Amino acid sequence: MGTGKRGLLSVAVAVVCAVTVLGAPGAAFASPEPTPGATATPPAGGGAPALPSTATADKNLEAVRAQLETLYHDAAVATDAYNAAEEAARKQSAEIVELAKKIVAGQEKLTELKNRAGAAARAQYRTGGLPDEAQLMLSDDPSQFLDGAGRVRQGQRATKGLIGQLARTQQDLEQYAKDASAQWAKLEAGRKVKAAAQKKIEKQIAQAEKLQSRLEKKEKARLEELERQAAQKAQTAWLDTGILKEIDGAASAQGKAAVQFATAQIGKPYVWGAEGPDSFDCSGLTSEAWKSAGRPMPRTSQEQWKQLPHVPVEDMRPGDLIIYFSDASHVAMYVGDGSIVHAPRPGRTVTLAGAGSMPILGVVRPDA
């Protein structure tokens, strides 16, 4: 392999490596948030401050819970943007590598064609600079003339073909260069999108963590209880519609394999942008589960919603993916009996939950 080829392939490989590591999660930062909870107010005339009532405390914690939901939801939307940019960068990197290989092969072909053209020119020089046609006309031997005429026609065709190959190869190289330049431009644009998404993710998570850090131990426990109650209330309302009586589909073989993979990850932490094996975000879990079942699919929850076949909720079966919220910012895998397995949010682990515990946008089936 020539020095030029090694150099091009080295550059291509460097591109892939550089793009792959872009945007690794970094340090978070936060902006000031109001202090949650109720403050004890001194009674008129002095004495010990009056403690807030349970109802008042719960009301304040409900406000905190709503604020946390907003922060984590915005972080989830930004995570989808980050993951989409990362997936696009992988594809663009692979395309650049292929283009680099084509450029190397094209340059080698062009060099070979130029060498052949040079050999033809040197051969003509050795015959006194006369073209084959002129040498043929000077021959007095009829048989030599006839044989030579055939060779001339062959030579003309060969020369014409050589010139055509040179032109096509040169055009191909120019097109490969344009395509590579376009992919580089996309990579740069994607890098900016990815960096902006990462910044927003870190900001939202940092704000949420700061808000929670200002809660006392009892408040944190009560907040978790309120979260469980809210999820249970939504799940109960969903089940009360009688939907579970209609959902009786059996999992496909690939669906069973995907469910087995997903449930085996229970207990592993949520980390935004993660695809395993030690941590996952919501779409990282579902995409890897189906990849393990032999069915690769889009990386993000939004693209899973856009690209995968939709099925009615009442027709879903284990292995199907439930897309949540109007912006398709969360995804979970249905495992049967009204339950899902999912990676909820930062600070949580992969877990089982009620399928109706969040607002359902729809259901998609990777192996439809």
Side-chain angles (χ1 to χ4, degrees):
M1 183 183 294
T3 304
K5 183 174 180 180
R6 286 196 301 270
L8 279 168
L9 288 177
S10 297
V11 170
V13 172
V15 168
V16 178
C17 293
V19 172
T20 301
V21 300
L22 276 177
F29 56 92
S31 60
E33 290 293 337
T35 303
T39 303
T41 305
L51 294 176
S53 67
T54 301
T56 301
D58 279 359
K59 183 177 180 181
N60 284 305
L61 286 174
E62 279 290 351
V64 172
R65 186 178 70 82
Q67 191 172 0
L68 287 172
E69 283 187 356
T70 299
L71 290 170
Y72 283 125
H73 173 266
D74 290 347
V77 173
T79 298
D80 240 26
Y82 177 94
N83 290 337
E86 185 175 56
E87 185 177 33
R90 289 174 184 170
K91 293 178 180 177
Q92 289 152 7
S93 299
E95 180 64 20
I96 288 174
V97 170
E98 291 305 311
L99 287 169
K101 292 178 180 178
K102 289 179 179 179
I103 289 172
V104 170
Q107 287 179 331
E108 290 179 342
K109 183 178 180 180
L110 191 61
T111 299
E112 178 190 355
L113 292 171
K114 287 181 177 179
N115 288 338
R116 286 168 56 188
R122 288 191 296 272
Q124 183 173 325
Y125 176 78
R126 286 195 298 269
T127 60
L130 292 175
D132 290 341
E133 295 89 335
Q135 293 184 52
L136 181 59
M137 295 303 296
L138 294 175
S139 174
D140 294 329
D141 186 342
S143 61
Q144 183 181 357
F145 180 89
L146 292 174
D147 292 342
R151 288 196 300 273
V152 167
R153 285 194 296 271
Q154 292 176 356
Q156 288 174 336
R157 286 195 295 269
T159 300
K160 185 177 180 180
L162 180 60
I163 293 173
Q165 287 186 67
L166 279 166
R168 287 192 298 273
T169 302
Q170 188 65 47
Q171 290 172 356
D172 287 344
L173 285 171
E174 290 174 359
Q175 187 59 51
Y176 296 153
K178 290 179 181 178
D179 291 345
S181 178
Q183 292 298 334
W184 275 110
K186 289 180 181 179
L187 275 174
E188 178 60 19
R191 184 194 67 79
K192 293 178 180 178
V193 170
K194 191 175 176 182
Q198 177 179 344
K199 185 176 180 180
K200 184 171 183 178
I201 294 166
E202 292 172 342
K203 180 179 179 180
Q204 300 302 102
I205 293 176
Q207 288 178 341
E209 290 176 344
K210 183 174 182 179
L211 184 58
Q212 292 176 96
S213 71
R214 299 168 79 168
L215 296 173
E216 295 181 359
K217 186 175 181 180
K218 289 183 179 179
E219 290 177 316
K220 290 179 180 178
R222 181 58 182 162
L223 179 61
E224 289 184 9
E225 179 60 27
L226 290 174
E227 290 176 347
R228 284 193 293 271
Q229 289 177 4
Q232 185 59 46
K233 182 179 179 181
Q235 174 72 354
T236 300
W238 184 68
L239 292 176
D240 284 348
T241 65
I243 187 68
L244 207 56
K245 296 178 182 178
E246 301 180 47
I247 302 174
D248 58 0
S252 65
Q254 285 184 309
K256 289 179 181 178
V259 168
Q260 184 177 8
F261 178 95
T263 53
Q265 314 312 313
I266 289 175
K268 294 184 178 180
Y270 176 105
V271 174
W272 64 266
E275 302 174 77
D278 299 322
S279 57
F280 296 88
D281 63 18
C282 68
S283 57
L285 176 65
T286 55
S287 60
E288 287 300 303
W290 272 101
K291 181 180 177 181
S292 74
R295 182 74 64 148
M297 62 183 213
R299 169 66 176 87
T300 70
S301 60
Q302 292 176 345
E303 288 304 310
Q304 289 170 8
W305 174 243
K306 288 179 183 178
Q307 297 185 34
L308 298 178
H310 293 199
V311 297
V313 174
E314 61 270 20
D315 292 338
M316 69 179 174
R317 64 192 188 193
D320 287 349
L321 306 182
I322 304 180
I323 309 297
Y324 291 96
F325 304 106
S326 60
D327 54 5
S329 57
H330 190 70
V331 60
M333 180 178 293
Y334 185 64
V335 296
D337 295 325
S339 298
I340 56 170
V341 60
H342 71 144
R345 65 167 175 81
R348 298 287 188 264
T349 60
V350 176
T351 187
L352 292 173
S357 58
M358 297 170 284
I360 295 176
L361 176 61
V363 178
V364 295
R365 179 165 294 164
D367 63 338

